Amino acid sequence: VSQKLKISEASLQDFEERIALAAEAAQFGVWELDPTTNKVWISEKTRTLFQLPSETEIEYTAFQERVHPEDRPMREAAIRQAIAAGGSYEMEFRICLPDGTVRWMTGRARCIDSNNGGPCRLLGVSMDVTQRKQAEELFRLATEALPSGTLLVDVQRRIVLVNSHVERLFGYSRDEL
């Protein structure tokens, strides 16, 4: 039995190391919220992304304080809804770092049932998408500056981007298009 336990522990440790490596390679920060205590476990990458102190216990409120004030209610509602429904969420939101820098994050989380029938835990990942958001904004500005009417259509044939020249050309607002 002790031999099987040692093998099982080694296998679990190998699995955890693989997961940690995958999360690190993807630049994901991993976190877990216990909604009954409001305690949050966060990985070192999450601490780096949110610029939270190393090796100190983090309360949910301290973690949530990094979220941009305008985005807090939306993120809080998504988290509470996921916990209440035992579901998940995915969203983009901004964070404010201690030096005043604002960064864009994408976050996903899912409720994981506890083994003892108690409330679920919320397991999540966060990733910095600031560069992508900046590139999208540059693309939008460049499209708007074009002298001709330009629109972008997705694979479902939905119009996803229109410049002001198209609005004037067809006489419809962006929302109508």
Side-chain angles (χ1 to χ4, degrees):
V1 171
S2 73
Q3 183 65 21
K4 283 184 180 182
L5 182 60
K6 286 179 185 178
I7 291 170
S8 180
E9 287 174 351
S11 183
L12 179 60
Q13 185 176 357
D14 288 347
F15 178 74
E16 288 174 346
E17 288 172 2
R18 288 183 190 118
I19 294 297
L21 180 61
E24 185 179 320
Q27 298 294 303
F28 284 145
V30 181
W31 54 270
E32 182 178 320
L33 169 65
D34 179 342
T36 59
T37 63
N38 266 350
K39 299 279 187 213
V40 180
W41 171 88
I42 58 176
S43 68
E44 280 305 312
K45 181 63 179 180
T46 304
R47 289 177 187 275
T48 300
L49 289 171
F50 286 77
Q51 292 187 3
L52 293 164
S54 289
E55 300 182 20
T56 59
E57 194 170 283
I58 303 292
E59 293 283 336
Y60 175 72
T61 52
F63 190 45
Q64 185 72 339
E65 282 175 4
R66 286 286 196 260
V67 177
H68 192 285
E70 293 174 10
D71 296 343
R72 270 185 215 149
M74 171 186 65
R75 184 169 180 265
E76 178 68 24
I79 288 170
R80 294 296 159 210
Q81 173 62 29
I83 292 167
S88 62
Y89 75 86
E90 181 176 349
M91 67 181 353
E92 290 185 346
F93 58 94
R94 295 165 292 173
I95 61 171
C96 299
L97 300 177
D99 67 0
T101 303
V102 175
R103 308 287 299 174
W104 276 96
M105 305 296 285
T106 188
R108 286 183 177 177
R110 176 180 300 150
C111 275
I112 307 296
D113 289 330
S114 66
N115 293 334
N116 60 8
C120 70
R121 312 178 323 269
L122 194 63
L123 183 61
V125 294
S126 299
M127 184 172 82
D128 189 328
V129 292
T130 303
Q131 287 182 329
R132 185 195 57 147
K133 293 294 272 187
Q134 290 169 339
E136 288 172 357
E137 180 62 13
L138 285 173
F139 181 75
R140 189 193 65 74
L141 291 171
T143 302
E144 194 61 41
L146 290 172
S148 58
T150 304
L151 68 117
L152 183 64
V153 179
D154 68 11
V155 294
Q156 285 87 27
R157 298 183 180 158
R158 290 182 303 220
I159 297 172
V160 294
L161 179 70
V162 174
N163 70 2
S164 59
H165 298 291
V166 169
E167 287 181 303
R168 286 194 300 276
L169 201 68
F170 294 106
Y172 292 102
S173 73
R174 293 168 203 241
D175 291 338
E176 291 173 303
L177 290 165

